[in-house]
Amino acid sequence: MSLAPRVQLFLFLFSLSSRGGHSRYVEHDSDASDRILSLLSLEKKRETEDFMFRRPLRCLDMVAGEGQFRFVASRPQLACAVFLIAEPSELISVELSHTSIDCSAGDFIKVFDGWVLKGEKFPSSQDHPLPVQQRYSDYCSSGPGGGATLSSQNVAMLFFRVHSPDSGFTLNVRKLHNPFPCNVMSQSPEGSFTMVLPHLNRNCSFSIIYPVEVQLTELSLGQAASNQLSPLVRGRTGCVATGDYVELLGGNGVDTSKMFPLADLCYSVSGLAQMKIGCDNSVVRLVSSGSYVNRVSFRYRLLERQEMPPPRENSVEEYCSVE
């Protein structure tokens, strides 16, 4: 992935974390943009090197590759967060080592299975297989022998608080292949993807934090064929009653349960169905009853400014503002 989309992605995450007031999980300083560009340049450099990558970890950071990341406090750091992201078909393994924090003094390190932004979680509670509390791993509860924590999707998050200078830890990050990716945060505004649910009663969301055009190229639900993407209107249940369907969502947060349903499809598609979504976050969501091997393939691309749909086109003017 090129550097520019990662810069845009992290700036979006930073704006979500600080929009409407300071987040309790981020460090605040006026040089945030310069720091973000600097750390992303380091991530780009890592991609060209074969040896074990090592670099300092910041209080507000994003890690997109494997390696060892060392945090040492120069002063009390009371609200820190690290966003971890991998490729769509990868899981993230996180392990702590060389840890010197004082849990009794209020220090903590917690790993979250997903992302948390302004109180919203990705994947949502409806889409993740574990209850929210089980998605947190607490170093102070498990101790040094807690072992590695493996994410359920291609994103994870680290929250930590360190009071004493020179205290810190090393974050060891590895990536593992995921044969059936489910609940994906895309790093890029353009690409293609296929989600497969083999007789599993669960939901999978592919989240794109950009306004995009989504083209469904294949949908197999074990039912009759159709090639019409049905726009939703308020008060209509659409395909929900079938138990097996794909829906397009739009919104300005990351919790899919709080996003607005734009369209749904509950019949197999052999042709092309597409829609432009002019929101900060665009989601393709596959819902499965477990009765079929459900499969959806799609392409997506970033909308140019002149392509942005007018606010009333999808009847979501109050959900997705377009400047």
Side-chain angles (χ1 to χ4, degrees), residues 203-224:
N203 310 322
C204 292
S205 295
F206 189 95
S207 182
I208 312 158
I209 310 184
Y210 305 91
V212 295
E213 179 184 66
V214 176
Q215 297 179 336
L216 300 184
T217 55
E218 179 188 359
L219 176 62
S220 175
L221 297 173
Q223 300 180 28

Side-chain angles (χ1 to χ4, degrees), residues 270-298:
S270 55
L272 182 68
Q274 64 186 40
M275 175 171 280
K276 294 179 180 179
I277 306 176
C279 306
D280 284 349
N281 193 12
S282 310
V283 171
V284 179
R285 184 169 183 259
L286 179 62
V287 178
S288 179
S289 66
S291 300
Y292 309 102
V293 179
N294 291 333
R295 174 190 178 101
V296 58
S297 299
F298 54 92

Side-chain angles (χ1 to χ4, degrees), residues 229-250:
L229 190 63
S230 305
L232 291 179
V233 295
R234 271 171 236 214
R236 206 189 100 195
T237 58
C239 292
V240 174
T242 68
D244 295 272
Y245 60 95
V246 66
E247 61 180 349
L248 301 184
L249 308 174

Side-chain angles (χ1 to χ4, degrees), residues 27-320:
E27 180 187 39
H28 317 298
D29 64 59
S30 58
D31 297 326
S33 295
D34 291 340
R35 293 166 49 240
I36 291 167
L37 290 172
S38 174
L39 67 92
L40 288 175
S41 295
L42 285 170
E43 289 294 322
K44 185 64 176 178
K45 181 175 182 291
R46 180 202 60 79
E47 293 177 347
T48 65
E49 300 171 343
D50 295 330
F51 57 85
M52 172 64 73
F53 180 72
R54 295 178 176 86
R55 72 162 170 85
L57 192 67
R58 301 170 186 262
C59 180
L60 174 63
D61 212 332
M62 182 176 77
V63 172
E66 295 182 319
Q68 293 183 341
F69 305 86
R70 178 68 182 168
F71 178 82
V72 178
S74 59
R75 56 185 173 85
Q77 299 282 12
L78 305 182
C80 298
V82 178
F83 298 91
L84 299 112
I85 188 167
E87 294 301 319
S89 60
E90 293 176 330
L91 302 175
I92 302 171
S93 173
V94 176
E95 188 169 12
L96 299 172
S97 62
H98 303 96
T99 305
S100 59
I101 66 170
D102 188 351
C103 296
S104 64
D107 293 356
F108 66 78
I109 306 172
K110 296 182 180 181
V111 179
F112 181 72
D113 189 6
W115 276 359
V116 182
L117 288 165
K118 291 203 71 179
E120 293 191 6
K121 298 176 177 63
F122 179 87
S124 72
S125 298
Q126 294 180 358
D127 292 349
H128 199 280
L130 296 176
V132 172
Q133 291 306 316
Q134 293 183 26
R135 295 167 66 179
Y136 286 94
S137 299
D138 189 344
Y139 171 83
C140 288
S141 297
S142 59
T149 299
L150 184 64
S151 70
S152 302
Q153 62 288 310
N154 76 320
V155 292
M157 200 163 183
L158 189 77
F159 301 110
F160 61 95
R161 174 189 298 161
V162 179
H163 286 84
S164 300
D166 299 326
S167 297
F169 59 90
T170 296
L171 178 68
N172 303 281
V173 178
R174 294 176 56 237
K175 297 179 181 180
L176 302 175
H177 177 66
N178 183 7
F180 294 105
C182 180
N183 298 320
V184 173
M185 184 71 71
S186 176
Q187 298 187 46
S188 172
E190 298 182 351
S192 60
F193 196 72
T194 296
M195 286 191 292
V196 180
L197 282 173
H199 294 286
L200 294 176
N201 181 15
R202 64 177 304 188
N203 310 322
C204 292
S205 295
F206 189 95
S207 182
I208 312 158
I209 310 184
Y210 305 91
V212 295
E213 179 184 66
V214 176
Q215 297 179 336
L216 300 184
T217 55
E218 179 188 359
L219 176 62
S220 175
L221 297 173
Q223 300 180 28
S226 171
N227 61 359
Q228 296 298 315
L229 190 63
S230 305
L232 291 179
V233 295
R234 271 171 236 214
R236 206 189 100 195
T237 58
C239 292
V240 174
T242 68
D244 295 272
Y245 60 95
V246 66
E247 61 180 349
L248 301 184
L249 308 174
N252 295 326
V254 296
D255 189 333
T256 55
S257 67
K258 299 178 180 179
M259 297 176 70
F260 191 76
L262 304 176
D264 65 4
L265 191 64
C266 42
Y267 298 94
S268 296
V269 170
S270 55
L272 182 68
Q274 64 186 40
M275 175 171 280
K276 294 179 180 179
I277 306 176
C279 306
D280 284 349
N281 193 12
S282 310
V283 171
V284 179
R285 184 169 183 259
L286 179 62
V287 178
S288 179
S289 66
S291 300
Y292 309 102
V293 179
N294 291 333
R295 174 190 178 101
V296 58
S297 299
F298 54 92
R299 298 192 298 261
Y300 55 99
R301 66 172 183 85
L302 182 67
L303 289 178
E304 302 292 340
R305 182 170 293 276
Q306 64 271 17
E307 292 183 291
M308 289 288 196
R312 293 185 180 277
E313 182 171 320
N314 292 327
S315 299
V316 290
E317 59 270 22
E318 67 270 52
Y319 293 88
C320 303

